[in-house]
Amino acid sequence: MNKQGILWVLRILVGGLFIFSGLIKVNDPVGTAIKLEEYFDVFSNDIAGFFYYFKPFALYIALVLVVSEVVLGIMLILGVKLRQTVWALALMILFFTFLTFYSAYFNKVTDCGCFGDAIKLTPWESFYKDIILLVMISFLFIFRAELPEETPRWAGMAAIASLVISIGIGIWAIQNLPFIDFRAYKVGVNIPVNMQPSATLEYTYVMKKGEETVYLDKYPSEEGYEFVEMVLRNPEALPKISDFAAWNQEGDQTEFLFQGNKVIILSSNMSKMSEANQDDLNALVKSMEGAPVDVVFMAAATQEEIDAFLNKNGWSIIGLQADATVVKTIMRANPGIMIMKDGVVLEKYHHNNTPEATDVLDFFL
C-alpha cells in the first residue's frame, strides 16, 4: 500500500473512532460534565487551584468537547479542511492522553468516560488506547502537507449539518434524558437482582510455600503456606450494582425501596436543584396522596436539609439520604423522577417532563 493509501486508512480509523466516541457521549453530555467536574476537583487539589473555577462551566465544556469529536471525525473522513482538522485532532488527543495518563499513573478519576457508560475501560486501557490514537494522528500530522486540499462542496455542507445535528442532540439530551441509557439503572433493570453476583465467585489463591509461588483453587488447610493474594477468576459475575443504598435517621431503607410501588424524586445536589418545574412536581406529589404508591424524596443531602425541603413544599412523603455519585448515575436530571415496582425500574423522567399522576398509576395497573 502506498503512502496515500495508508493516510486514507488512518483517516477512516481515526475519524471513525472519534465519531463513535463522540456519538456515545453526545447522547449524554451531563455524564461527560460529571467526569470533567471530577477532573477539575483533582486538578485543583493536585496542580493549581484555578481549575476549581471551571466546574460551573463543566456542562458547556462537555458539550463543546463531545460535539467536536463527532464533527472533527466526520471532517477527517470527508476531507474537509484536512490540515486544520488534523491540527485540532492532534491538540485534542494530546489533551485526552494527558487526562488518561494522569488517571492511570496517579489512580485519580479511575473511569475516564472515554466511551461514556457504554464501554468501560480501566485507566491504563484508556491510556494505551489514546497512545495508539496519538501515533496514528501523529502520522497524519507529519504528512499533513500531502493530504488533499480541495474540499467538495457537499462534504462541507455535510460537516455543517453534523455540527447542527450534534448540538441539537446534545441540548435535547441535557433538557430531557439520554436517548440511550447505558447505565446500570436503565429502564427494565431489576436493581436488587443486579446487586447480587450472577454466579458463584471463583477465586485463585496465590500462596507462598518456601520460595515457590503456588496457585490453588481452594484455600489450603495444611500448614506451610503463606497467603499472598486472591485473584477473581470470573469478574464478569460480579454484581452490576454495588453501591445502591438509601437511609434516614431510622436506619437503612434500601429494602423498603424494593417493596411495592414507588415514585422516587431524586436530587444529586439540593443547592443546585432546578426550580423550573416545581409546580409540576408539587402537583404530582399532591395527586399521589391516597394512591397505593409510596412517594419518596431521595437526595444527596443531610436529613435536616431533606426534611426542611419537604416542609417548605408541604410534601407529606418519605425523605431519604443517598450518595451523590449513585444519584447522578441513576438520574441525569436534578431533580428527576424514577418509577419502580418491586425493585424494577419502570420509567425515568427529567423534571422538564414531569408526568401526570394518571400516567404514573398506569404503570402499576
Side-chain angles (χ1 to χ4, degrees):
M1 184 181 294
N2 58 27
K3 188 186 296 182
Q4 287 300 320
I6 294 173
L7 290 174
W8 172 243
V9 170
L10 289 176
R11 284 169 55 190
I12 294 294
L13 291 175
V14 173
L17 191 57
F18 268 83
I19 293 169
F20 176 69
S21 173
L23 284 176
I24 288 174
K25 288 183 285 192
V26 82
N27 168 71
D28 183 16
V30 175
T32 301
I34 291 170
K35 287 299 171 188
L36 287 177
E37 288 178 354
E38 292 181 38
Y39 276 113
F40 294 149
D41 278 332
V42 169
F43 291 162
S44 64
N45 290 323
D46 295 359
I47 300 176
F50 69 82
F51 280 102
Y52 179 81
Y53 297 103
F54 287 112
K55 285 187 67 176
F57 308 102
L59 185 56
Y60 304 103
I61 298 171
L63 184 60
V64 170
L65 281 176
V66 299
V67 169
S68 296
E69 283 191 65
V70 175
V71 176
L72 288 173
I74 289 173
M75 290 175 67
L76 185 65
I77 292 176
L78 296 183
V80 180
K81 296 188 178 297
L82 281 175
R83 297 180 187 180
Q84 295 90 330
T85 299
V86 170
W87 261 103
L89 287 170
L91 293 174
M92 185 172 284
I93 196 59
L94 285 171
F95 172 68
F96 288 155
T97 303
F98 166 73
L99 291 185
T100 53
F101 172 76
Y102 197 91
S103 296
Y105 189 80
F106 295 103
N107 198 32
K108 303 287 183 71
V109 191
T110 52
D111 176 12
C112 73
C114 300
F115 296 106
D117 291 288
I119 302 175
K120 295 290 187 180
L121 299 177
T122 67
W124 283 114
E125 287 172 344
S126 300
F127 174 66
Y128 297 143
K129 177 264 297 178
D130 284 343
I131 288 295
I132 294 171
L133 270 173
L134 181 61
V135 170
M136 291 193 290
I137 293 173
S138 295
F139 194 88
L140 290 170
F141 186 83
I142 292 169
F143 295 101
R144 63 189 183 280
E146 300 182 33
L147 294 172
E149 294 185 25
E150 295 296 325
T151 301
R153 181 177 176 83
W154 66 266
M157 296 298 293
I160 293 172
S162 70
L163 173 64
V164 174
I165 293 171
S166 297
I167 292 174
I169 292 173
I171 292 174
W172 193 95
I174 291 169
Q175 294 181 342
N176 297 274
L177 290 176
F179 286 93
I180 304 173
D181 191 349
F182 294 105
R183 287 158 288 153
Y185 300 94
K186 62 186 177 183
V187 172
V189 162
N190 188 315
I191 297 177
V193 168
N194 280 9
M195 291 174 69
Q196 303 299 319
S198 59
T200 301
L201 299 180
E202 301 172 357
Y203 292 92
T204 294
Y205 297 90
V206 184
M207 314 293 291
K208 276 280 190 182
K209 189 172 186 180
E211 295 300 319
E212 182 183 3
T213 300
V214 182
Y215 300 88
L216 304 172
D217 291 339
K218 296 182 178 179
Y219 196 89
S221 56
E222 63 267 27
E223 297 181 357
Y225 289 95
E226 179 185 351
F227 176 79
V228 178
E229 64 175 335
M230 292 169 56
V231 178
L232 183 63
R233 297 202 303 268
N234 57 339
E236 69 281 356
L238 285 169
K240 295 181 175 62
I241 297 174
S242 60
D243 51 4
F244 183 87
W247 62 94
N248 59 14
Q249 66 270 22
E250 297 177 6
D252 183 31
Q253 301 296 325
T254 306
E255 286 301 320
F256 162 73
L257 293 179
F258 299 153
Q259 299 168 2
N261 305 328
K262 297 290 185 289
V263 172
I264 306 174
I265 301 170
L266 298 120
S267 173
S268 57
N269 187 328
M270 290 185 63
S271 65
K272 296 181 179 179
M273 188 166 63
S274 173
E275 298 181 356
N277 298 286
Q278 189 66 48
D279 289 343
D280 293 335
L281 284 173
N282 290 339
L284 174 63
V285 172
K286 185 69 175 177
S287 300
M288 298 301 295
E289 292 180 0
V293 180
D294 295 312
V295 182
V296 178
F297 179 63
M298 181 170 155
T302 66
Q303 195 65 45
E304 290 76 14
E305 291 172 323
I306 292 171
D307 292 342
F309 175 82
L310 297 180
N311 290 331
K312 174 185 174 183
N313 290 281
W315 292 4
S316 299
I317 63 175
I318 300 165
L320 299 179
Q321 295 176 260
D323 178 75
T325 300
V326 172
V327 177
K328 288 177 183 178
T329 304
I330 296 172
M331 182 60 62
R332 295 302 203 220
N334 185 21
I337 303 142
M338 179 168 66
I339 313 298
M340 286 205 315
K341 181 179 178 65
D342 296 328
V344 177
V345 180
L346 300 181
E347 189 56 272
K348 297 197 289 189
Y349 296 95
H350 193 287
H351 62 82
N352 287 334
N353 305 309
T354 300
E356 300 286 340
T358 52
D359 296 327
V360 172
L361 292 173
D362 284 343
F363 285 106
F364 306 121
L365 295 178

